[in-house]
Amino acid sequence: MTNTANSGTTALLTDHYELTMLQAALRSGAASRRAVFEVFARHLPHGRRYGVVAGTGRLLDALEQFRFGPDELSFLRENRIVDEATLRYLSSYRFSGNIWGYPEGDMYFPGSPILVVEGTFAESVLLETLALSILNHDCAIASAASRMVTAAGGPGQAGRPLIEMGSRRTHEAAAIAAARAAYIAGFASTSNLQARFTYGVPSGGTSAHAFTLVHDSEKESFAAQLASLGPGTTLLVDTFNVEQAVRAAVEAAGPRLGAVRIDSGDLPAHAVSVRALLDSLGATETRIILTGDLDEYSIAGLAVAPVNGYGVGTSLVTGSGAPTAALVYKLVARSDAPLPDGEPAELDALRPVAKRSVGKPGRGGRKWAVRERAESGEAMTERILLAPPSGLGPADRVLLRELVRDGKITGREPLADARARHIAALGELPGYALQLSRGYPAIPTIFGRDGDRA
Amino acid sequence: MTNTANSGTTALLTDHYELTMLQAALRSGAASRRAVFEVFARHLPHGRRYGVVAGTGRLLDALEQFRFGPDELSFLRENRIVDEATLRYLSSYRFSGNIWGYPEGDMYFPGSPILVVEGTFAESVLLETLALSILNHDCAIASAASRMVTAAGGPGQAGRPLIEMGSRRTHEAAAIAAARAAYIAGFASTSNLQARFTYGVPSGGTSAHAFTLVHDSEKESFAAQLASLGPGTTLLVDTFNVEQAVRAAVEAAGPRLGAVRIDSGDLPAHAVSVRALLDSLGATETRIILTGDLDEYSIAGLAVAPVNGYGVGTSLVTGSGAPTAALVYKLVARSDAPLPDGEPAELDALRPVAKRSVGKPGRGGRKWAVRERAESGEAMTERILLAPPSGLGPADRVLLRELVRDGKITGREPLADARARHIAALGELPGYALQLSRGYPAIPTIFGRDGDRA
C-alpha cells in the first residue's frame, strides 16, 4: 500500500469524503447541478486587524495538476474508496468552470469572498481540500509577515529589510510556500534555496555557529569565511563573547566588513554597544543584523536600536500565534437542475443556500466585493454584495478578478505584482490597521447596500 | 528564474548558508574534519510533559533523495550562490556517514539526542535544514496527537477512535506528514487520501454540509447518500436542526444506520440527547461521531458523554498551540584534522565543542541515551551519557538505534512498529505524564552518571 510515485498530481491532496460525496451525487443526479462555492473567513484570527491574501498563484498551479491518472485510479479502485461510475468520472476529470478571487497581496476581512468557484457540484466540490490547504497556510503566513514588515518600519525602502529564515521550523514543503508568502507581504529575502529555485525569491545567508566551532578558533573561522566569501560577508559574533568577536571581526576583515549578526542575548543592548564599538573601530558602514526568536513585537521594540536588518524564523512560519487562517469553502448557491452544457449560469437560475448550524451560520448567495474608499483613497468599508457592483464611487475598488474561465487559467501574474499590490493595499488602510495590539478589523464588512438586508 | 521541475530531489530544501559554510570550509580545510551533529530540544513546548518522536522514516526517505543534479547545479552556478570548487563537491554529494536516532513513536525529553549524525563536517552540515524541517514538524504533530489519544481514553481498543481531518488547515504537503505522525501517535485514521496512498494510513469520511445543501432537502440528501454508500454510512445531522435530522436519518436508513456526525453546537448536550433519541428509535448500535474544532481539552470534557469517536482537524495540524518542536541541530564534537578515508572515528579523536551564547548554552560531546526504568518497567530517568552505556539495569532501555551506516540506510521499519512502540512507551511513563495540564517533563533528564559532571 506504500507508494510515493505520484508526485506529478495534486488530485489526492483531497479529503476522502469529497470522493464519497461525488459518488453519491453522481447517483442522485445532483453532481451536474450548477454550484457556487466560496472561500471566506468568518473571523480574523487572534485580534488581527486585517488578513493578507496569498496562495492564489500556487492554487492555480495545483489546479493544473489536479488529474486522476492510472496510479490514482488503481489506488481508489483497489481500496474500494469509490465505485466504477465514479472512477470513470474521475478518469476524465478536468475543472471546466470559472474561478474568481482576490489577487495576492490584497487585504481581506471577515466575510470577504477571497475565492469564488463556479461549476458543476461535482467538479467544484472536489477542489475544497486543496484550495483550503493552500489558502489557509499561505494567508496565515502572509498575514503575520505583513505585521513584521510594518514593525520593521514598513515595506520597500522605508523600513529595515527582513529575511525569512524559518524553513527549519516548519514542514519542508511548507517552508517554500512560507518564503513565497512572506515575500509577497514585504520580506526582502529568504534562507530557503528551493523558494529561490521555484519562485525566484531572493535568498541569502552566510554562516552558523557550527562554522565557528569546526575551526580551531573563532579567529580562524573568521579568516576562513572572509577568504572565501570576501569582506562584504556577514560574520556571526555571538558564539563566545560578542565584544571580543566584533573586535576580531573588524581586525580580520578591516573596516569594510559587510555585517555582523547577533543571534542571542540581550539584543537591544547588544545592538547599541556593538554599534558604538564598530564605529570606534572605523567600521561605520558595517551593518548589524539581529536574529534569534524575533517576532513583530520584539522587532517593534528594537525600532530605536541601531539595527540594519532582521532575520525571522519560527514566528513567521507559525503565523505568529495564528498558524492557519480559518478560511472555509462553502456551497452558497446552486441550480435546481443541471444546466445545458457550456451555457453560463443565469444569476436567477442559482438558488442561495446556507446551513443554519448554531455558531457557524452561513450566508447564502453568490457574492461580489468592493473596497469602498474615500476620495483620499482611504479604505472605508468592505462591501459584500449579492449582485455585480454598480454605482461605484470614484475611488472604490472592485476586489474579485477572473482567475479561471471555462477551465482555462487566466489569472497568473508575476510575484512582483503581488508585492506591489500589497504595498498599495497597506497604504489605503486607516492608521489604526497598522497597530500591533489586538483589535477589531480595520474596516467593517457590510453585507448588501446600505439599508438592504442581505 | 521560476522553475518547478526538480521535484525528484530534496537537496534545495536547504538554507542558503549551509552552502556558503560548505564553500568556506572546503577552502579552509575544515570541510573534511570529522564531525558529530545532534538534534535535541532545549525544552518541551508549552508545559508539555513529554514529546513524541516522529519523522525519522520520512527523513530517511528524504536523505536518499538528497542529490544535486544538473538542474540544481546550474541554478547554483547561475545565481552565483557557491563557487566552482563547491559545485564539484556537490555534484558527487552522497552522505557517507552514520546516523543514529530515537525510533519513531518513542518519547523524548529536554536534551534527548533524538538524532546523532556523524560524518565529515561538509556532508553533515548540509543536512541541517532538511533534518530539522522534518523532525520539527512531525514531532510537533505527534506530540499533540498523543495527548488527544489519551484524552479520548487511550490508544488501541481502550479508547474512542480519532480521525485526523486537518488537511484543509495546513499546507497541502504538511497535511500528509501530519496524518502519518498522528497515526504513529495512535490516531485510527485520516481524511487525507494521499496519506493512505503514500503511507497506508487508513482513510475515511462520507459527506459534508455541501452535500445536504446541493439536494432539494435534507431528506433527499440522506436518501441519496444511503442509496450510494449503504446504511452503514455516517450521516451529517447538523445542517439545519439536529433532532429533526436524526429522526429523518433513522427513518431513511433504518435502525442499522452506521453513525451520525455532529459538527457544531453544544456538543456534550447534543451527544446526550441524540443518544437518547437514537435509542428511542431503536438505533441502539448507531454510533455518534463528534467533530468541529475539538482539541485534547474538549475531548477530555466529553469523556462522560455517550460518544463513539472524534474527528480532529485544526488543533491537530497546528500542534495544539505548539506548531513546531523547538528542535535544534548542533555541532557537538569534531576532530582536529581530517581522518583517513573510511576509518571510523575513535572516540578520543573527537573534541567536544559548544557555543557559550547567553540563554542558548550548548553541551559539547557526542551523547548516548538510556531510559532508566524501575523493575516495574516505569520510566525513572532520561540518562544522557558522554560514552556508550555500560552497567545497565535489567529494565533500562538504550534509546539510540542505527539508522544509517556508511551512507547506507539501515533503519527503515513499518509504520505499525512505530505505532506499537508508542503504546509501549506511553505505558512506561508515570501517571503524571498523562495529565493534560501544563507541567514539567514527566521524567528528569540527567546528564552523566550520578555524581558525574557532564
Side-chain angles (χ1 to χ4, degrees), chain A residues 314-334:
Chain A
T314 306
S315 66
L316 185 277
V317 297
T318 60
S320 197
T324 186
L327 295 162
V328 295
Y329 184 94
K330 293 296 171 191
L331 180 68
V332 296
R334 63 160 172 84

Side-chain angles (χ1 to χ4, degrees), chain A residues 130-391:
Chain A
L130 182 63
L132 288 178
S133 290
I134 291 175
L135 294 173
N136 267 320
H137 176 267
D138 291 14
C139 291
I141 305 303
S143 298
S146 177
R147 288 158 53 87
M148 294 170 185
V149 172
T150 292
Q157 297 304 314
R160 296 168 176 174
L162 291 164
I163 178 169
E164 183 284 308
M165 38 181 263
S167 295
R168 65 189 56 195
R169 301 279 181 242
T170 188
H171 183 279
E172 69 276 16
I176 310 166
R180 181 184 181 279
Y183 188 60
I184 287 173
F187 271 54
S189 59
T190 179
S191 64
N192 188 289
L193 287 171
Q194 187 71 50
R196 182 162 178 173
F197 184 94
T198 304
Y199 299 114
V201 179
S203 70
T206 57
S207 64
H209 297 103
F211 185 80
T212 306
L213 294 170
V214 77
H215 287 90
D216 290 336
S217 68
E218 189 174 62
K219 192 174 160 179
E220 287 184 34
S221 78
F222 286 172
Q225 186 174 331
L226 291 162
S228 180
L229 303 177
T233 194
T234 300
L235 292 173
L236 178 60
V237 294
D238 72 332
T239 306
F240 302 112
N241 176 289
V242 171
E243 184 191 329
Q244 288 168 22
V246 170
R247 289 184 185 280
V250 177
E251 190 176 339
R256 309 285 294 275
L257 174 63
V260 296
R261 177 163 79 95
I262 310 170
D263 184 53
S264 58
D266 182 348
L267 294 178
H270 275 319
V272 170
S273 61
V274 168
R275 180 74 269 156
L277 179 57
L278 285 170
D279 290 348
S280 78
L281 297 169
T284 55
E285 302 296 313
T286 300
R287 288 168 295 121
I288 297 176
I289 309 297
L290 300 185
T291 60
D293 288 326
L294 296 174
D295 62 15
E296 62 270 44
Y297 306 104
S298 52
I299 291 169
L302 286 159
V304 298
V307 181
N308 303 91
Y310 305 98
V312 185
T314 306
S315 66
L316 185 277
V317 297
T318 60
S320 197
T324 186
L327 295 162
V328 295
Y329 184 94
K330 293 296 171 191
L331 180 68
V332 296
R334 63 160 172 84
S335 66
D336 285 344
L339 296 180
D341 243 20
E343 198 159 305
E346 293 293 323
L347 294 180
D348 298 348
L350 295 179
R351 174 191 298 277
V353 295
K355 65 176 171 173
R356 296 198 297 266
S357 310
V358 175
K360 290 184 182 176
R363 207 179 278 270
R366 180 175 162 196
K367 320 284 187 313
W368 285 261
V370 176
R371 188 149 306 147
E372 293 176 339
R373 302 189 301 178
E375 279 184 34
S376 68
E378 182 170 309
M380 309 294 286
T381 311
E382 187 83 342
R383 179 80 60 177
I384 313 294
L385 303 163
L386 291 171
S390 60

Side-chain angles (χ1 to χ4, degrees), chain A residues 15-16 20 28 33 58 133 136 167-169 172 191 203 206 213-215 238-239 327 334 356-357, chain B residues 15-16 20 28 33 58 133 136 167-169 172 191 203 206 213-215 238-239 327 334 356:
Chain A
D15 283 338
H16 189 124
T20 52
S28 76
R33 290 184 168 189
R58 293 211 307 118
S133 290
N136 267 320
S167 295
R168 65 189 56 195
R169 301 279 181 242
E172 69 276 16
S191 64
S203 70
T206 57
L213 294 170
V214 77
H215 287 90
D238 72 332
T239 306
L327 295 162
R334 63 160 172 84
R356 296 198 297 266
S357 310
Chain B
D15 283 338
H16 189 125
T20 52
S28 77
R33 289 185 169 189
R58 292 209 309 117
S133 289
N136 267 320
S167 295
R168 64 190 57 195
R169 302 277 181 244
E172 69 275 15
S191 65
S203 69
T206 58
L213 293 171
V214 78
H215 287 89
D238 73 332
T239 305
L327 295 161
R334 61 160 174 84
R356 294 197 298 266

Side-chain angles (χ1 to χ4, degrees), chain A residues 1-7 12-21 23-25 27-28 30 33 37 58 71-72 75 79 81 121 128-130 132-134 136-137 167-174 176-177 191-194 196-200 203-211 213-216 224-225 227-229 238-240 261 263-265 292-293 314 318 323-324 326-328 330-331 334 336 353-358 360, chain B residues 1-7 12-21 23-25 27-28 30 33 37 58 71-72 75 79 81 121 128-130 132-134 136-137 167-174 176-177 191-194 196-200 203-211 213-216 224-225 227-229 238-240 261 263-265 292-293 314 318 323-324 326-328 330-331 334 336 353-358 360:
Chain A
M1 208 57 52
T2 295
N3 193 329
T4 57
N6 70 332
S7 58
L12 295 183
L13 303 173
T14 297
D15 283 338
H16 189 124
Y17 80 178
E18 317 288 7
L19 295 196
T20 52
M21 282 194 278
Q23 174 181 314
R27 182 164 170 150
S28 76
R33 290 184 168 189
F37 285 86
R58 293 211 307 118
D71 290 346
E72 291 71 53
F75 160 75
N79 288 279
I81 290 170
F121 175 76
E128 176 180 31
T129 312
L130 182 63
L132 288 178
S133 290
I134 291 175
N136 267 320
H137 176 267
S167 295
R168 65 189 56 195
R169 301 279 181 242
T170 188
H171 183 279
E172 69 276 16
I176 310 166
S191 64
N192 188 289
L193 287 171
Q194 187 71 50
R196 182 162 178 173
F197 184 94
T198 304
Y199 299 114
S203 70
T206 57
S207 64
H209 297 103
F211 185 80
L213 294 170
V214 77
H215 287 90
D216 290 336
Q225 186 174 331
S228 180
L229 303 177
D238 72 332
T239 306
F240 302 112
R261 177 163 79 95
D263 184 53
S264 58
D293 288 326
T314 306
T318 60
T324 186
L327 295 162
V328 295
K330 293 296 171 191
L331 180 68
R334 63 160 172 84
D336 285 344
V353 295
K355 65 176 171 173
R356 296 198 297 266
S357 310
V358 175
K360 290 184 182 176
Chain B
M1 210 52 55
T2 295
N3 194 328
T4 57
N6 69 332
S7 59
L12 296 183
L13 303 173
T14 296
D15 283 338
H16 189 125
Y17 80 0
E18 317 289 5
L19 295 197
T20 52
M21 282 194 278
Q23 174 182 312
R27 181 165 171 150
S28 77
R33 289 185 169 189
F37 285 85
R58 292 209 309 117
D71 290 346
E72 292 69 54
F75 160 76
N79 287 279
I81 290 170
F121 176 76
E128 176 180 33
T129 313
L130 183 63
L132 288 179
S133 289
I134 291 175
N136 267 320
H137 176 267
S167 295
R168 64 190 57 195
R169 302 277 181 244
T170 188
H171 183 277
E172 69 275 15
I176 311 166
S191 65
N192 188 288
L193 288 170
Q194 187 70 51
R196 182 162 177 173
F197 185 95
T198 305
Y199 299 115
S203 69
T206 58
S207 64
H209 297 103
F211 185 80
L213 293 171
V214 78
H215 287 89
D216 291 335
Q225 185 174 332
S228 180
L229 303 176
D238 73 332
T239 305
F240 303 111
R261 177 164 78 93
D263 184 54
S264 58
D293 288 326
T314 307
T318 59
T324 186
L327 295 161
V328 295
K330 293 295 171 192
L331 180 69
R334 61 160 174 84
D336 284 344
V353 294
K355 65 177 169 173
R356 294 197 298 266
S357 310
V358 175
K360 291 184 181 176

